[in-house]
Each structure stands twice: as structure tokens, then as C-alpha cells.
Amino acid sequence: MFDKIENQVIKKLICAAIIMVGGFVLFNLAFMLAASLVLGLNLLLRLGSNAQPPTIYGLLIFIVLLLLASYFVFRAQWDDLIKATFLTMPLMSVLIVLGVALYQQPQAVPIGIGAVIVGALCGTFYLRKMPWLYYFATAYVAALALWIVLAGIDI
């Protein structure tokens, strides 16, 4: 993608910046979609906006949609930078939904389950000999999610 840039450090810094900025934009789009699904499900079922039972169902529908989109994105013949940038959205969404679902549990529970998810992804990247971009995207999301949990930020 950046064939004219000869300095490898500059190339990697640009790629890292693209993943971080693209991930931020995708996070926001994903959470707007999640909120729309939850509110839409509440309206569809004619429940108030504070109804609790359908919230988890809306989030599950959201995760299924993200996983389907991920399947098609990762099967496409696109550049690894685009795929790694896209990876930030479903990964952050899964970690945040996990945190929401386990909100009443001790912090170690969602952190531990998140670590298993991140570790499984990194193991998959290693076995498939995937480029560093995927590791960076995963580490970026994991660091943000961990910071959200440890700082006590409510989403």
C-alpha cells in the first residue's frame, strides 16, 4: 500500500496510526449500531427505553451481525491493513459487550475472559503467520478495553 515510502519505521508508524484512527471511527459506528439495535428492539416489542430483558438480546443480535460482517471481510481479498483495522471493531465490541454482561462480577472475571479471547486471537495469528498489523490491532484494543475496566469508565 505504501510502496513509495522506503523507510520501514515510517511505514509502520503510518500503518499503526491508520489502525488507531480507523479503529476509533469504527468503534463509534459500532456503538451507534448497537444502541440502535437495542432501542429498535425495545420499540419493536413496545417496551420502554429502560426495559432490561431485550437489552442483552439486542446486543447478541449486534454481535452476530458483527461476526457475519467479519466473516465476509476476512474472506475478501483486501489488504491486511484494512482487515487489521476492521478487526478492531468486532474485537472491541465483543470485549465491551462482555464487560456489560459481566458488570456485576468482580473485575477479574471480564478481564480474565477478555485475556482468553485476546490470547486465542494471538495464537491464531501466530499459527497462520499473519503480519504484525493484526497483533498491533489486537494489542491496541486490549489496552483500551483494559483501561476502560480499570479506570471504571461506564459505557
Side-chain angles (χ1 to χ4, degrees), residues 34 37-39 41-42 45 47 49-64 93-94 96-103:
L37 283 171
V38 169
L39 292 174
L41 188 60
N42 285 348
L45 297 174
L47 298 172
S49 61
N50 293 331
Q52 290 300 322
T55 301
I56 193 69
Y57 299 124
L59 291 176
L60 289 174
I61 291 169
F62 169 70
I63 292 297
V64 167
S93 299
V94 166
I96 293 299
V97 168
L98 178 73
V100 168
L102 300 173
Y103 184 72

Side-chain angles (χ1 to χ4, degrees), residues 2 5 13 18-19 32 50 68 88 90 99 103 112 114 119-120 123 140 148:
F2 302 108
I5 300 174
L13 287 173
I18 289 171
I19 289 171
M32 285 189 287
N50 293 331
L68 283 172
T88 61
Y103 184 72
Y140 166 62
I148 287 169

Side-chain angles (χ1 to χ4, degrees), residues 18-106:
I18 289 171
I19 289 171
M20 290 168 51
V21 171
F24 179 76
V25 170
L26 290 172
F27 299 159
N28 287 310
L29 290 174
F31 293 123
M32 285 189 287
L33 174 63
S36 298
L37 283 171
V38 169
L39 292 174
L41 188 60
N42 285 348
L43 289 175
L44 184 66
L45 297 174
R46 297 189 191 329
L47 298 172
S49 61
N50 293 331
Q52 290 300 322
T55 301
I56 193 69
Y57 299 124
L59 291 176
L60 289 174
I61 291 169
F62 169 70
I63 292 297
V64 167
L65 289 174
L66 279 182
L67 291 175
L68 283 172
S70 298
Y71 174 80
F72 290 112
V73 167
F74 289 111
R75 295 282 181 237
Q77 297 297 319
W78 293 345
D79 190 74
D80 284 320
L81 179 60
I82 294 169
K83 290 179 182 181
T85 302
F86 179 83
L87 172 68
T88 61
M89 181 180 58
L91 180 56
M92 179 60 97
S93 299
V94 166
L95 293 177
I96 293 299
V97 168
L98 178 73
V100 168
L102 300 173
Y103 184 72
Q104 299 299 324
Q105 302 299 318

